[in-house]
Amino acid sequence: QVQLVESGGDLVQPGGSLRLSCATSGIRFSIYTMNWYRQAPGKQRELVATITRYSSTNYADSVKGRFTISRDNAKNTVYLQMNNLKSEDTAVYYCNAVAIAPGYWGQGTQVTVSS
């Protein structure tokens, strides 16, 4: 049984930081490309960050320089370090594991940036 479990979402003030985690089980984690997506109310889900099996990374322009994606193959976990958070980062953040599309999804974790 495949499971992706996100954690780390919270309410944070603008300028603050959070680290999201996505713990996986039931997949051969090391061969998967891992993605973080987010979906704000009334908006489409958007790709935020990607890390390949070779640890190559890519980011949406809106988060470049503020977010960092990383993976720990020993722990079957992918992370998203989010710094200098802005109100527009408020969304539900989803973890996605892809070897062959569409892959697997977690249930999401809420990030709210507000003063």
Side-chain angles (χ1 to χ4, degrees):
Q1 181 182 2
V2 177
Q3 286 191 311
L4 279 67
V5 180
E6 300 98 332
S7 61
D10 205 345
L11 170 64
V12 63
Q13 292 187 345
S17 297
L18 283 175
R19 188 175 85 152
L20 305 183
S21 300
C22 172
T24 73
S25 60
I27 62 172
R28 190 178 163 193
F29 179 79
S30 62
I31 70 169
Y32 276 73
T33 289
M34 299 300 298
N35 301 303
W36 284 98
Y37 284 78
R38 67 185 180 188
Q39 188 166 21
K43 295 189 176 181
Q44 289 189 330
R45 191 172 295 190
E46 65 169 339
L47 178 61
V48 174
T50 297
I51 186 165
T52 70
R53 60 185 292 183
Y54 305 110
S55 293
S56 296
T57 59
N58 196 33
Y59 299 92
D61 287 343
S62 59
V63 307
K64 278 182 182 176
R66 301 188 297 122
F67 290 12
T68 303
I69 189 171
S70 61
R71 65 190 299 157
D72 185 337
N73 289 343
K75 295 183 178 179
N76 297 330
T77 299
V78 63
Y79 304 97
L80 186 68
Q81 177 67 43
M82 306 186 295
N83 298 328
N84 190 22
L85 283 160
K86 304 176 181 181
S87 58
E88 52 262 44
D89 295 318
T90 294
V92 178
Y93 284 71
Y94 297 91
C95 175
N96 166 245
V98 179
I100 298 173
Y104 303 99
W105 292 87
Q107 82 290 345
T109 186
Q110 176 70 48
V111 172
T112 302
V113 184
S114 175
S115 55

